[in-house]
Amino acid sequence: MKYIIKNIIPAAALALTLGMTSCTGDLDVDPIDPNLSTEVSLDGLYLKCYANLALPGNGGANGDSDIDGYDGGTAGFIRQLWNSNELPTDESICCWGDPGIAGFNFNQYDASHPMMHMYYYRLTTGINYCNSYLNEVGESGDAQKVAEVRFVRALQYYMLMDAFGNIPFAETLSKPVQISRQEAYQWIEKELLEAEPNLMDAKAMKSTDDGYGRATKGAAWMLLARLYLNAEVYTGTAQWAKAAEYAKKVIDANYRLNTAGANQWSAYQMLFMADNGESNAAYEAVFPILQDGSTTTSWGGSLFVLASTFDGNMHANPLDAAATNNTTQAWGGNRARPELVKKFFPQGDAPSGQSYDVAVAAGDDRALFCTEGRTLDIEKTTEFTNGFAVAKWSNFRSDNAATHNAQFPDTDFFLFRLAEAYLTYAEATARENGGNTTAEGTNYINALRSRAHATTRSNSSYSLNDIIDEWAREFYYEGRRRVDLIRFGLFGGNNNYKWQWKGGSYEGTSFSSYLNIYAIPSNEIATNSNLTQNQGYQ
């Protein structure tokens, strides 16, 4: 039961009881008005720490936004995590004219970029909620809930550090100071290690199980593994052994890959469907962000991922040619760059058809591209049919039953899933093994490819070049590609990896390495004298 974010006190009441501003990019607060009640609902505040990841505010999709001055749907955590890590890469491009889209598409963003402002404020606002809870409960709080909120705060500080480098930092409701990326890394590591013993045990759960959607030891291990995997980027010092160690902790827990499909759906598709919290796909989730078409509605959650990738000419369900993604929403915006398609069709020779036919032709269940009536190359960035459409996310159920709502999806967003631990372990051990997978690492990649009915290797290893492509095949459109490209030296700076419209050129061109980190919003620099703009954006 997706109960964790169903019953949350109203945002306005929360702001009043805590004396908080709702747009707190600098983590600062307004003084508490002595005429206002200062009674705090600790349960409501605890839930709010989670809800910030799933909801625009407490009024649902069409209610007030927690972030003043920004539309709640557009400023949703999932939406801007996805935009900032997919659109600037070889995986996706958007045809819309919304402010900030072109900057993402062409790697041409600066301190005034509106969508990066939304991402920044969503994260800092969420950190404020966590600080508020931890400040209120003090030393007397429930140990497990405190540990969970510390995890959620560390998660958002991780996302902030990854995107913005040298970040504003405070553990209380006070004006933050700026800390370096390395200092942020060290704090996140320490915070997770301290919180982990008090988190609930790592275990696979369905939505009917108590604790589904809450932070567990497994979630902490997975975030630590991701932190260590990118340690060389963040600190200059690699931590491959630690990355492998914590990935193995996740692997050795009782999470399990979903390897059996249901009805007309593949096992891989089931991870991105409306009943992914209720089917066996849920057992692969290490930390899901909960979505429900009746109780957890947002234009910036999983609806964004599935609606922005569909138009009315796509049919993800082979048994229902009249349906698109099983919602009323098909916005036709984000589609695949050819470099993503070529991870499955190296010669670019994908046949014309719907996604279920193209996956068969690719010999890989993950190649969920709609190619019919579309071109591989993107000559016109403003036309949705330039570029193959992606049918990975949907609101269909694998048991073919009805969903809760025709407009908003029930599809949970698996922020961490077991497959990440498999690839993390394979990559980290390969980097310690001369650039090729160990026998165990090879087996983990084979397990993912076998699940997708793709060819595997029994007598040879996978190289790092193979692994970066496997990250794309397994995790495309899940909001992480920018991070992987940076780790492999394939994003900003002088490198030989090009994709269509990289740097604003159709053929692709290099762009400066300072763009690997986003700019701190210009108004934050103007209002907080403790902050200095990131290099290259001054």
Side-chain angles (χ1 to χ4, degrees):
M1 182 171 66
K2 300 175 183 178
Y3 65 90
I4 195 165
I5 45 183
K6 284 185 176 180
N7 301 303
I8 305 171
I9 58 175
L14 179 66
L16 292 177
T17 56
L18 297 177
M20 293 167 55
T21 60
S22 59
C23 181
T24 49
D26 63 358
L27 309 183
D28 206 352
V29 295
D30 290 336
I32 296 176
D33 185 337
N35 295 314
L36 297 175
S37 169
T38 57
E39 182 179 350
V40 175
S41 167
L42 290 179
D43 286 342
L45 187 50
Y46 161 76
L47 293 175
K48 186 65 180 178
C49 295
Y50 280 104
N52 185 65
L53 303 176
L55 295 167
N58 289 339
N62 299 313
D64 291 337
S65 171
D66 285 347
I67 305 176
D68 290 341
Y70 294 99
D71 171 75
T74 308
F77 168 74
I78 291 172
R79 185 167 184 162
Q80 294 310 332
L81 170 75
W82 196 96
N83 280 337
S84 63
N85 287 304
E86 293 291 346
L87 292 182
T89 76
D90 59 347
E91 290 191 350
S92 186
I93 194 166
C94 187
C95 65
W96 299 334
D98 304 38
I101 290 293
F104 275 143
N105 284 342
F106 306 135
N107 313 101
Q108 296 170 352
Y109 32 80
D110 57 23
S112 64
H113 191 278
M115 291 188 176
M116 286 317 304
H117 288 202
M118 297 178 199
Y119 188 38
Y120 179 97
Y121 291 137
R122 177 59 63 185
L123 294 171
T124 54
T125 297
I127 291 166
N128 252 347
Y129 292 139
C130 295
N131 282 343
S132 298
Y133 177 81
L134 295 171
N135 283 206
E136 287 293 330
V137 301
E139 298 296 325
S140 61
D142 179 279
Q144 182 178 307
K145 287 185 177 179
V146 167
E148 289 177 35
V149 173
R150 291 180 72 180
F151 166 83
V152 174
R153 181 175 64 173
L155 170 67
Q156 291 172 108
Y157 264 128
Y158 168 79
M159 297 296 183
L160 196 69
M161 177 270 292
D162 173 77
F164 297 97
N166 303 325
I167 58 173
F169 177 81
E171 293 182 87
T172 61
L173 295 175
S174 59
K175 189 170 185 176
V177 297
Q178 190 167 33
I179 60 175
S180 69
R181 209 179 203 191
Q182 183 167 2
E183 289 171 324
Y185 173 98
Q186 292 168 345
W187 180 89
I188 294 163
E189 178 187 30
K190 179 175 180 290
E191 185 76 354
L192 291 171
L193 291 173
E194 289 181 358
E196 183 263 349
N198 289 323
L199 292 169
M200 72 178 76
D201 289 340
K203 60 180 179 179
M205 290 180 274
K206 291 185 178 181
S207 65
T208 50
D209 296 322
D210 186 27
Y212 178 77
R214 293 170 65 180
T216 65
K217 287 180 170 65
W221 297 337
M222 196 68 259
L223 182 53
L224 281 164
R226 187 181 290 194
L227 183 74
Y228 292 137
L229 187 65
N230 294 285
E232 190 169 27
V233 174
Y234 301 145
T235 71
T237 301
Q239 297 286 356
W240 308 123
K242 287 185 177 181
E245 175 189 353
Y246 278 87
K248 196 68 165 62
K249 284 177 177 285
V250 178
I251 294 168
D252 289 344
N254 76 337
Y255 305 107
R256 55 185 183 269
L257 291 184
N258 186 49
T259 57
N263 296 307
Q264 68 271 35
W265 307 103
S266 71
Y268 185 75
Q269 284 176 299
M270 291 172 65
L271 299 168
F272 313 101
M273 298 180 68
D275 60 341
N276 59 354
E278 292 73 54
S279 72
N280 287 339
Y283 293 142
E284 188 167 329
V286 178
F287 186 63
I289 297 176
L290 309 189
Q291 303 281 271
D292 185 288
S294 297
T295 61
T296 313
T297 61
S298 172
W299 302 104
S302 58
L303 175 64
F304 164 74
V305 183
L306 65 92
S308 71
T309 55
F310 274 77
D311 69 6
N313 296 318
M314 297 167 62
H315 308 290
N317 186 346
L319 301 186
D320 187 357
T324 54
N325 54 30
N326 206 33
T327 75
T328 59
Q329 305 298 305
W331 306 338
N334 298 310
R335 68 276 194 213
R337 301 201 198 216
E339 289 72 24
L340 172 58
V341 177
K342 290 178 181 178
K343 300 293 187 286
F344 299 94
F345 294 94
Q347 304 307 314
D349 56 351
S352 175
Q354 294 292 335
S355 57
Y356 38 85
D357 295 321
V358 174
V360 171
D364 192 319
D365 293 344
R366 301 170 296 185
L368 296 168
F369 304 108
C370 175
T371 63
E372 190 174 278
R374 305 168 195 278
T375 61
L376 173 66
D377 292 313
I378 304 169
E379 295 185 358
K380 295 181 180 180
T381 61
T382 56
E383 291 189 10
F384 185 63
T385 54
N386 272 220
F388 290 164
V390 172
K392 179 171 178 172
W393 294 84
S394 81
N395 193 42
F396 291 106
R397 290 178 59 95
S398 62
D399 61 6
N400 293 329
T403 56
H404 292 162
N405 189 287
Q407 185 175 46
F408 294 101
D410 299 329
T411 309
D412 293 343
F413 188 93
F414 292 173
L415 188 65
F416 297 145
R417 58 187 179 90
L418 180 59
E420 178 176 348
Y422 278 31
L423 282 175
T424 297
Y425 185 90
E427 180 187 330
T429 51
R431 289 184 182 276
E432 293 188 306
N433 190 46
N436 294 293
T437 51
T438 62
E440 195 170 21
T442 299
N443 288 339
Y444 287 140
I445 293 178
N446 281 343
L448 297 179
R449 293 185 60 81
S450 178
R451 185 253 295 275
H453 298 101
T455 58
T456 59
R457 298 179 182 178
S458 57
N459 298 314
S460 62
S461 60
Y462 294 92
S463 69
L464 288 174
N465 286 337
D466 295 325
I467 292 171
I468 183 60
D469 286 349
E470 202 61 37
W471 276 112
R473 281 186 283 264
E474 181 67 27
F475 281 97
Y476 72 95
Y477 275 49
E478 294 184 51
R480 63 167 296 138
R481 184 59 170 172
R482 169 188 149 272
V483 181
D484 295 329
L485 288 177
I486 290 172
R487 186 174 67 256
F488 277 80
L490 301 176
F491 194 65
N494 293 322
N495 58 68
N496 294 323
Y497 187 53
K498 304 292 191 296
W499 58 81
Q500 260 182 28
W501 296 109
K502 179 182 181 182
S505 167
Y506 174 77
E507 298 81 9
T509 187
S510 296
F511 55 87
S512 177
S513 61
Y514 79 83
L515 294 168
N516 285 356
I517 297 175
Y518 290 113
I520 295 173
S522 53
N523 53 321
E524 290 299 289
I525 299 296
T527 58
N528 186 349
S529 60
N530 290 337
L531 302 183
T532 301
Q533 186 56 271
N534 288 325
Q535 184 178 357
Y537 292 106
Q538 293 90 343

